[in-house]
Amino acid sequence: MKSLDDLKKIRDAAQRKVTMRDKQDGIRILVGMATCGISAGARPVMNKFVEEITNRDIKNVTVTPVGCIGECSIEPIVEVLEGDNRTTYCRVDEDVAQRILDEHILGGKVVKDNIIGKFRV
Amino acid sequence: MNELSLHILDICQNSISANASLIEIKIQEIIDANTYTIEISDDGHGMNAKTLSQVSDPFFTTRTTRKVGLGISLFKMACELTGGTFSITSKETIGTSIKAIFKHDHVDRAPLGDIEETLTVLLMNEAGIDIRYVHTYNHQTYYFDSREVKQILGDVPITDYNVILWIKNNIKEGLLSIQKEEKNEVSR
């Protein structure tokens, strides 16, 4: 491993930040990451969320990989959890991930084109 | 799955389900011997002999949401398609390890792909596992060890997004540099 000095800078900057990221607070994004999800393209979707959240410095949003959500034929599946509300998105690609961030997480409006009801009733 | 790193991600999810705390991923590319070896070992709860004999069967799975389990069988197939060999050993309470030796120059040998994405996705898992990744290309070796990163980070979580981006870059650049150094050595 090289350039560990850069890592120390990142650590110092993170320690200066007053905001504490608590898992229970804010919005959680879960990405299904079992065999079905991975082969349908879940990894670049998760990557997209992480990159956008970092580059745009979006607060109070955590992204977590999870196991099989149970609807393998309509993977990649992404779930957005806000308090007691759970929204399940299906067939998510990088473009849909971008829309979920812009329209749902930041805009407060569910992206209706990809909610699970479109695929399963 | 068209990247070896996607198979690695999938196989490591098994380690996480087996409550592993450390996963070691070793990749060894030896051009002269025409081998591309991937070894994944964990310290999870392991399997008994009966389960071990069933894991390569696509109609075996421990999950309850469906009746097929494809992870290990797909990885085994990808390996054997290149004329390679695949083996898996496991000991209850000790851990499990998988070794796949691909033929390096075989047309069906998938590229590694974005291994840095695979490793960071694994680190972001809530189980908080540690990863040691060692990649050898002929004579040059790169390694990444999340335990060393955590030691430097102190109370800053490894899942901090700026840390994740640093890790990605470190792995990407590290792998490029061992390829470059190897080429320099050959041309000397």
Side-chain angles (χ1 to χ4, degrees), chain B residues 10 18 28 49 52 127 150:
Chain B
D10 195 14
Q28 204 175 24
L52 185 62
K150 282 180 184 168

Side-chain angles (χ1 to χ4, degrees), chain A residues 1-17 21 23 28 30 32-51 53-55 57-58 61-72, chain B residues 1 3 5-7 9-11 13 63 65-66 69-71 74 112-115 117-118 120-122 124-126 142-146 148-157 159-168 170 173-174 177 181:
Chain A
M1 283 191 288
K2 283 173 191 164
S3 62
L4 289 170
D5 285 341
D6 288 346
L7 183 62
K8 285 177 191 153
K9 279 181 209 149
I10 294 169
R11 172 197 63 197
D12 295 343
Q15 281 168 336
R16 275 195 299 274
K17 272 189 222 162
R21 213 194 296 146
K23 273 182 188 161
R28 296 187 66 202
L30 309 181
M33 199 66 70
T35 310
C36 44
I38 294 168
S39 52
R43 198 187 63 184
V45 166
M46 167 128 189
N47 195 44
K48 180 81 180 169
F49 279 121
V50 172
E51 269 176 12
I53 290 168
T54 322
N55 293 340
D57 203 18
I58 301 170
V61 179
T62 54
V63 190
T64 314
V66 294
C68 180
I69 295 171
E71 287 285 357
C72 310
Chain B
M1 279 186 245
E3 289 178 14
S5 58
L6 288 174
H7 284 289
L9 174 58
D10 195 14
I11 297 298
Q13 302 288 1
R63 79 170 74 187
T65 48
R66 59 172 156 82
L70 294 170
L74 282 174
L112 180 61
D114 294 329
I115 186 73
E117 274 189 29
T118 283
T120 47
V121 166
L122 288 169
M124 280 187 281
N125 195 292
E126 282 184 334
Y142 164 82
Y143 82 96
F144 166 84
D145 197 320
S146 66
E148 284 179 34
V149 171
K150 282 180 184 168
Q151 207 166 12
I152 290 177
L153 286 175
D155 56 355
V156 172
T159 50
D160 183 288
Y161 295 124
N162 287 307
V163 174
I164 291 290
L165 288 193
W166 177 87
I167 292 174
K168 264 192 203 166
N170 193 288
E173 284 166 17
S177 80
E181 279 165 32

Side-chain angles (χ1 to χ4, degrees), chain A residues 8 21 28 37 54-55 73-74 84-85 87 106 109 118:
Chain A
K8 285 177 191 153
R21 213 194 296 146
R28 296 187 66 202
T54 322
N55 293 340
S73 59
I74 46 176
D84 293 333
N85 289 336
T87 313
L106 298 174
K109 256 183 83 182
K118 286 259 171 190

